[in-house]
Amino acid sequence: MDFPIERERMVEEQIRARGIKDELVLEAVKKVPRHQFVNESLVGEAYNDYPLPIPGGQTISQPYMVAMMTECLGLKGGERSLEVGTGSGYQAAVLAEIAYKVYSIERDPHLARMARELLSKLNYKNVVIKVGDGTLGWREFAPFDGIIVTAGSPVVPKPLQDQLKDGGRLIVPVGSSAFQNLMCVEKKGPKIKNRKICGCTFVPLIGDHGWTQE
Ligand code: SAM
């Protein structure tokens, strides 16, 4: 399998064709070797147009969803961004191609360790991962220019909104456990602007400001 050609095809047919225009995002997605973020048995499907399972009953999101959420952040390069839900580390790698620094939080220690090892092997030096409840944000490194939540929440987690820089954006799926609206929360001075982007379905965000674990 020629992975760079597969990636090019994925970007043109699944991402650019659906309206993603930000060249920084398109270039980032073209660079990140997605096949390395999935289980060996799924390598042949890594560039297909759907999410794939990763350990712990979690998922690596559909490539288009990763690109679209990244575009919504509006990064220009040089920013400090936060991701909640590291999972495989794929979204963190895409962010790391654009942002100056990426902080990423994962509640599952096994996934966090695997993502840390892979990102280090791939030479991503600007990603820091910690194990914890991402609904609380990462106060030590706040405020952030952009925050992406890659799990579905019943509400916009207040600490994440509070940890946005003025002019910063928070992209978060909000809704029931079965269906969410992807929201863009923008901080403008004392004002918070909420915009619905599209419908989506993510695994649950479990934590103090998300769902309670059953
Ligand atoms: N961004 C990931 C990637 O690129 O592979 C996909 C993430 S997966 C859809 C959602 C992840 O969120 C899961 O790994 C899950 O363990 C994690 N998660 C759920 N609740 C969390 C929380 N409160 N804090 C941090 N991670 C959480």
Side-chain angles (χ1 to χ4, degrees):
M1 204 165 201
D2 188 330
F3 295 118
I5 288 187
E6 285 295 304
R7 266 202 300 284
E8 180 80 31
R9 184 188 57 77
M10 173 188 84
V11 167
E12 296 308 322
E13 294 176 8
Q14 301 169 29
I15 299 176
R16 200 194 292 273
R18 283 202 186 105
I20 302 299
K21 292 188 181 71
D22 187 330
E23 287 298 333
L24 287 176
V25 175
L26 295 166
E27 279 311 305
V29 179
K30 223 177 265 184
K31 270 194 205 153
V32 180
R34 182 172 163 95
H35 60 281
Q36 303 227 22
F37 292 80
V38 301
N39 188 284
E40 244 176 275
S41 63
L42 295 170
V43 161
E45 295 179 64
Y47 296 101
N48 291 355
D49 194 14
Y50 44 78
L52 288 169
I54 58 172
Q58 303 299 329
T59 52
I60 172 173
S61 304
Q62 177 197 25
Y64 168 68
M65 184 56 77
V66 173
M68 198 256 284
M69 289 173 81
T70 309
E71 184 174 69
C72 288
L73 277 184
L75 301 177
K76 301 282 173 253
E79 294 90 349
R80 286 148 52 85
S81 58
L82 174 70
E83 178 195 23
V84 175
T86 316
S88 68
Y90 177 69
Q91 171 76 74
V94 171
L95 290 173
E97 291 286 349
I98 306 172
Y100 166 69
K101 192 97 185 181
V102 180
Y103 299 90
S104 185
I105 310 174
E106 171 55 56
R107 66 186 292 273
D108 178 337
H110 175 63
L111 284 176
R113 184 166 50 77
M114 281 178 42
R116 205 180 279 128
E117 283 172 11
L118 178 58
L119 291 170
S120 155
K121 189 181 113 188
L122 295 174
N123 216 18
Y124 284 101
K125 294 194 166 75
N126 57 340
V127 183
V128 190
I129 297 171
K130 82 162 177 179
V131 176
D133 176 4
T135 68
L136 302 171
W138 198 335
R139 203 166 302 153
E140 190 187 347
F141 297 112
F144 300 99
D145 300 284
I147 303 178
I148 276 191
V149 182
T150 63
S153 178
V155 292
V156 174
K158 180 75 168 48
L160 298 183
Q161 189 174 296
D162 293 344
Q163 290 177 27
L164 272 182
K165 239 182 219 174
D166 190 14
R169 289 182 188 169
L170 160 63
I171 310 298
V172 55
V174 179
S176 70
S177 55
F179 182 82
Q180 303 95 36
N181 285 316
L182 189 65
M183 302 298 299
C184 173
V185 178
E186 204 165 353
K187 190 179 260 185
K188 290 207 161 156
K191 289 198 179 140
I192 294 288
K193 212 175 92 191
N194 284 306
R195 181 167 57 89
K196 182 179 144 185
I197 302 162
C198 62
C200 57
T201 304
F202 277 83
V203 295
L205 180 75
I206 296 166
D208 285 3
H209 298 264
W211 296 99
T212 321
Q213 187 160 33
E214 284 162 20

